[in-house]
Amino acid sequence: MEPETAASALIDRLVKAGDPYAALGAYAHAGAMARSELEPVILATPRLRLIVASAPYAPPDLLDRLSRGASAPLALRLVKNPATPTTALGRLLRGGPDDRLRRYIAAHPQADAAILSRLAKDGSVEVRRTVSGNAHAPAAVIARLAAEDDAQIARNAAAAPQANAPTLRHLWNADDVWVRAEVAAHPNCPPDILAEAEAATDPLIRRKRAANPAIAEAALLNLLADPDERVRAAAVRNPAVSGDCLDEAGDPSARVRRLFARRSRLSSSLMERLTTDPDVWVRRWIARNPDLPRALLGQLAADPETEVRRSVARNPACPPDLLVALATDPQPWVRAGVALREDAPDTAIARLTGDEDRDVLGALGRNPRTPAAQLDVIARHPDKDVRRSVAFNRAAPPGVLGHLAEDPYPLNRAILAGHRGLALPLVERLLDDPEPQVRFAAATRLARALLTHDQEWSS
Amino acid sequence: MAELLVIAGQREGELRPSSLEAIAAARGVKQAGDTLAVVLIAADPQALVGALSVEGVDEVIAIKASDDFQPDLTEAVITALVAARKPALIATAHGVDAWSFAPAAAVKLGCGLATDVQALRLEDGALVATRAGYAEKVLVDLDFPGKATVLLTIRTNVFEPAAGSGAPKVTAMAAPAADIATTHEGWKPPADAGGIDIPGSEFILSIGRGVGDESNVEQFLELAGGMGATLGCSRPIADNGWLPKARQVGQSGQLAANCKLYIAMGVSRSVQHQWGMKHVENIVAVNTDPEASIFSIARYGIVGDMFEIAEELQNHF
Ligand SMILES: Cc1cc2nc3c(=O)[nH]c(=O)nc-3n(C[C@H](O)[C@H](O)[C@H](O)COP(=O)(O)OP(=O)(O)OC[C@H]3O[C@@H](n4cnc5c(N)ncnc54)[C@H](O)[C@@H]3O)c2cc1C
């Protein structure tokens, strides 16, 4: 069939079936004409309109359409839906909504600067508080709100990503310890306040200061030597810190050493020390560190703690010979870590063939390196969760996927319906599945292939 | 005056704890003048009478037979007791044993039947059973007009196990003849969960897709360890292979049966996840989305970033 004919046949079929779930699946990929045919099916009843208005998977254009002349219950669902676009929010706001609706609009992730500026002047303090907590509120809005004498707005404003230096200074001077702590953590905090925060007697303020990504080396070294372990921990966690600033001797606190083990560019002597740390969590973390040399990874691969060996198996730097050795680890969770690796050598995968543990089989089922014969066995496993893993495998051959299309477990068919490798006639068959979730996924997949002519999806 | 029967269960001579839950369900609808009898089939039923002597139980009907569960024998016992005693209610724990005899017995005897019952009450003297429908999306009340006997399988971990002491009389009953069609091959222990015990844990910290990436999972294992909690997860986390399947909470995972405090971080609350945890008395939800539906079942909600909250919590443990 010609692509155009196949596409219009699909729309005809969906319209004729009158199935709102399948029609909704196709809508996102449909052109204007097809959308106008699908809309009466998707929005056939008031109940369906309410369902669509609150569905985060509904296409934004459809939500926008629903916002025109929306009744109060429909408007409420729309403003609560994170997928509702800015245009729809603006339209609903112009309609003069009540306090509750305005509060939802003020909190909405799609509310833009214009909407938030307008709501920052709202008569309700609850609405203004909500604006101050919206991460998209622009600097001028935050500055205006911060001038209000309201404790909650002050805290929100101090943590607002766009708060500027003058606003932060104003907030610091208000002398509330929680607000000050947020100011000390803010990347736009002025340097003189940072210096004051560094010397603060309250460890909360020093801890927040230590977490500030805009940190100079001298301040960092100071905070890394702080008597309070929580302050040192925050400093080590700071993304601006690199391993070469850390004390070679480690830290007396295991909590801080656990954070050392997560940093890159550690000196080799520190890595060695952390590898033999008595605290198992330090060893678990260092075993995941991709900078770890082969010899230390080998040492940790023989650690008596299962989770340390699992960490080695998940370390991207784990060499092939260690993966082969770990593929015969007595603990299934370690073997599952190897089975999940797309870079595992064939010998490691071969060693896992015949493994009966469900976590190992589930990991092999997902792995594009697993041979087709093994995938076929996994796709027929009695455990539905094990079978499902094959539906996530982008390299699963069509024959194996075809078998899964018959799976009695609906979730497995729903996930499979979105697989690029599933032959289109089989996807089409899933349009008649008893489960709405499966029909939705099948229609999405078909629409992608037939309506967008996307080569990758039209196999 | 009605007779209420509970079919108790045992494994290798040990009473199944769910039997006490089925007793509690039946006891909840017992009226003055009613009698509650518990039926027990075991190699040594006398050894289990003590465990069944709880408040509200008037009689233990002891049937000596093999400890190996036999659906055909259980069905024959029910048939004999319905003929002899005409009970108004027969309750038993919902599970693999009940699946193999309860529907068959109900059809054969023309009883009313409801499976996986979560609540039970009397309305104008008539039984009303509540069970979930449409993949746990709705609760359905069922009544049984015109049915002299109603057979119910009771969902486990919903009713508080019957306690308090009682002094039931013990009636020995000979095992009726039964056409045994099944053989017991032996016991296979459940898959090794590697020491992970979601059903047994009183405190669970669960993570969902909000965790973002496998490399972030470890810090929540560390946090859970520090707090003395068991780490649980939603289905996508287990499907990705980031945590063992034994940690998955929900309809296709584990039931947080004994949990008293459940902290859900970055979990949206799908009906399927909820299946495993909504009964927990103290649910704390952490989610960046103030509209996340998990907040509607949470006792305490924090609108916030799970990583920030986790870091704050780390400072306390
Ligand atoms: C037949 C069937 C059986 C199923 N069985 C199960 C089961 O047993 N168990 C189960 O869990 N699921 C099960 N599912 C899957 C279920 O339907 C959902 O898909 C799944 O539970 C969603 O997982 P989630 O909540 O982790 O993810 P999502 O629904 O994606 O939710 C993630 C949440 O994290 C929040 N978030 C994101 N980032 C952050 C952050 N930084 N801080 C805080 N919050 C954040 C988001 O706002 C969102 O609410 C089953 C499905 C079917 C059809």
Side-chain angles (χ1 to χ4, degrees):
Chain A
M1 210 188 286
E2 284 297 304
E4 270 65 39
T5 324
S8 67
L10 172 66
I11 299 298
D12 283 354
R13 177 173 173 180
L14 295 178
V15 170
K16 210 178 260 161
D19 172 6
Y21 296 97
L24 186 58
Y27 189 90
H29 303 291
M33 269 281 283
R35 283 184 173 192
S36 62
E37 287 180 66
L38 294 170
E39 276 168 13
V41 178
I42 301 169
L43 308 174
T45 63
R47 192 172 156 268
L48 277 173
R49 289 197 282 279
L50 290 175
I51 292 175
V52 173
S54 43
Y57 50 83
D61 293 352
L62 193 58
L63 296 171
D64 192 56
R65 178 181 172 321
L66 279 173
S67 70
R68 293 192 195 115
S71 62
L74 199 61
L76 181 61
R77 279 167 177 77
L78 285 168
V79 295
K80 287 166 114 180
N81 187 341
T84 299
T86 313
T87 44
L89 296 176
R91 183 173 299 120
L92 293 168
L93 187 57
R94 287 192 296 278
D98 63 13
D99 271 24
R100 184 162 166 229
L101 248 70
R102 296 201 309 283
R103 225 169 43 236
Y104 280 119
I105 297 175
H108 202 283
Q110 313 290 342
D112 64 2
I115 292 177
L116 294 172
S117 302
R118 176 170 165 184
L119 288 171
K121 295 176 209 142
D122 200 279
S124 151
V125 66
E126 286 298 336
V127 174
R128 297 198 305 279
R129 281 178 182 155
T130 313
V131 173
S132 67
N134 189 315
H136 299 291
V141 164
I142 294 296
R144 168 143 25 91
L145 290 169
E148 288 195 36
D149 184 20
D150 183 275
Q152 196 184 325
I153 289 182
R155 281 184 200 181
N156 287 347
Q162 329 258 6
N164 57 21
T167 304
L168 293 170
R169 184 178 302 286
H170 167 79
L171 290 164
W172 177 265
N173 291 336
D175 210 16
D176 170 324
V177 67
W178 288 98
V179 174
R180 284 189 152 207
E182 288 299 346
V183 172
H186 204 291
N188 299 339
C189 184
D192 57 315
I193 296 183
L194 286 180
E196 213 181 309
E198 205 177 302
T201 47
D202 191 325
L204 172 69
I205 294 182
R206 296 204 308 280
R207 174 154 70 81
K208 287 293 198 173
R209 164 68 184 108
N212 193 319
I215 196 160
E217 186 158 344
L220 185 65
L221 293 177
N222 247 343
L223 293 160
L224 282 171
D226 198 281
D228 190 311
E229 66 162 8
R230 288 168 302 179
V231 178
R232 297 201 304 279
V236 180
R237 210 190 273 266
N238 191 316
V241 172
S242 109
D244 40 25
C245 311
L246 301 178
D247 190 344
E248 297 257 324
D251 190 285
S253 154
R255 248 191 75 205
V256 179
R257 293 198 307 277
R258 290 174 190 178
L259 291 160
F260 272 29
R262 292 160 71 171
R263 302 315 318 224
S264 57
R265 294 178 34 207
L266 297 172
S267 72
S268 43
S269 59
L270 184 51
M271 274 198 274
E272 220 170 304
R273 187 166 294 122
L274 296 171
T275 302
T276 53
D277 200 286
D279 182 83
V280 64
W281 282 102
V282 174
R283 301 203 307 281
R284 281 172 77 157
W285 280 114
I286 194 74
R288 283 183 182 263
N289 195 316
D291 295 345
L292 212 60
R294 161 80 182 75
L296 295 183
L297 276 169
Q299 204 172 308
L300 289 164
D303 197 281
E305 289 286 338
T306 301
E307 290 287 355
V308 175
R309 300 196 306 279
R310 160 86 186 184
S311 298
V312 175
R314 299 304 300 142
N315 189 320
C318 188
D321 62 315
L322 271 190
L323 288 175
V324 172
L326 289 168
T328 51
D329 193 278
Q331 287 301 324
W333 187 231
V334 179
R335 300 197 302 275
V338 177
L340 208 51
R341 290 188 70 124
E342 298 191 10
D343 61 348
D346 291 344
T347 2
I349 301 272
R351 283 190 179 188
L352 294 163
T353 309
D355 204 301
E356 287 182 4
D357 180 80
R358 60 204 294 249
D359 287 313
V360 175
L361 288 172
L364 277 179
R366 293 182 72 96
N367 195 330
R369 302 280 318 283
T370 303
Q374 171 80 3
L375 288 180
D376 195 57
V377 172
I378 297 173
R380 293 166 198 274
H381 196 271
D383 183 327
K384 58 186 184 323
D385 297 327
V386 169
R387 293 198 302 273
R388 183 166 62 251
S389 63
V390 177
F392 292 111
N393 190 326
R394 61 178 187 276
V400 174
L401 295 175
H403 184 72
L404 267 183
E406 310 285 324
D407 200 287
Y409 195 58
L411 179 63
N412 295 4
R413 299 195 304 278
I415 290 170
L416 179 75
H419 197 292
R420 288 177 190 212
L422 185 66
L424 288 185
L426 286 178
V427 185
E428 236 171 278
R429 242 176 40 208
L430 292 174
L431 278 182
D432 297 322
D433 198 277
E435 278 293 316
Q437 202 184 346
V438 179
R439 301 199 300 273
F440 174 82
T444 309
R445 161 86 171 81
L446 278 173
R448 219 169 171 156
L450 301 176
L451 304 177
T452 65
H453 310 303
D454 182 338
Q455 288 302 311
E456 277 200 73
W457 292 88
S458 8
S459 56
Chain B
M1 282 231 312
E3 171 127 15
L4 315 175
L5 287 184
V6 171
I7 312 292
Q10 53 81 20
R11 281 275 185 282
E12 297 178 299
E14 296 256 347
L15 186 73
R16 304 284 293 147
S18 54
S19 306
L20 295 172
E21 297 169 25
I23 293 173
R27 203 171 63 178
V29 291
K30 187 180 173 196
Q31 301 290 289
D34 290 352
T35 53
L36 172 54
V38 180
V39 182
L40 178 69
I41 305 171
D44 182 9
Q46 198 59 41
L48 299 180
V49 168
L52 291 170
S53 299
V54 293
E55 202 179 320
V57 175
D58 303 299
E59 182 183 6
V60 174
I61 301 172
I63 300 157
K64 219 170 155 55
S66 162
D67 272 343
D68 297 340
F69 169 70
Q70 265 306 341
D72 303 307
L73 175 62
T74 312
E75 201 182 315
V77 167
I78 293 174
T79 307
L81 287 169
V82 167
R85 300 187 175 213
K86 312 218 169 346
L89 168 70
I90 305 172
T92 192
H94 185 76
V96 280
D97 288 3
W99 300 339
S100 61
F101 67 79
V107 169
K108 185 168 149 195
L109 302 169
C111 305
L113 173 74
T115 57
D116 204 14
V117 169
Q118 301 178 18
L120 193 56
R121 62 179 193 273
L122 286 175
E123 247 176 45
D124 300 328
L127 272 175
V128 178
T130 307
R131 74 185 305 277
Y134 297 101
E136 303 275 330
K137 291 193 178 79
V138 294
L139 290 176
V140 183
D141 276 350
L142 297 166
D143 58 2
F144 310 91
K147 296 293 183 190
T149 301
V150 173
L151 206 164
L152 302 178
T153 68
I154 307 293
R155 177 176 283 200
T156 52
N157 297 307
V158 171
F159 290 88
E160 197 66 40
S165 59
K169 68 171 179 184
V170 179
T171 308
M173 175 179 161
D179 188 6
I180 304 290
T182 53
T183 51
H184 181 87
E185 295 287 340
W187 288 106
K188 195 173 167 209
D192 180 20
I196 301 161
D197 184 13
I198 292 285
S201 298
E202 296 200 346
F203 178 14
I204 295 172
L205 165 69
S206 242
I207 53 170
R209 209 147 35 183
V211 76
D213 190 74
E214 182 185 5
S215 58
N216 296 327
V217 171
E218 196 75 355
Q219 71 193 79
F220 290 92
L221 276 162
E222 184 186 333
L223 176 63
M227 294 196 301
T230 302
L231 190 75
C233 66
S234 65
R235 198 259 307 151
I237 307 302
D239 264 358
N240 286 344
W242 297 350
L243 282 174
K245 295 192 194 309
R247 292 198 189 268
Q248 181 184 322
V249 175
Q251 190 184 323
S252 50
Q254 305 286 321
L255 182 72
N258 288 299
C259 187
K260 305 212 160 48
L261 171 60
Y262 191 94
I263 305 183
M265 291 191 167
V267 178
S268 65
R269 192 211 81 162
S270 61
V271 277
Q272 294 88 2
H273 187 82
Q274 200 195 134
W275 183 94
M277 46 68 81
K278 68 167 185 283
H279 58 278
V280 178
E281 202 174 324
N282 293 298
I283 296 173
V284 182
V286 180
N287 201 301
T288 40
D289 175 7
E291 284 313 305
S293 49
I294 186 99
F295 289 126
S296 64
I297 55 162
R299 176 169 287 219
Y300 303 101
I302 301 173
V303 178
D305 178 32
M306 62 192 280
F307 296 100
E308 273 178 37
I309 305 296
E311 200 183 316
E312 282 303 323
L313 279 173
Q314 285 277 23
N315 287 318
H316 297 273
F317 295 96

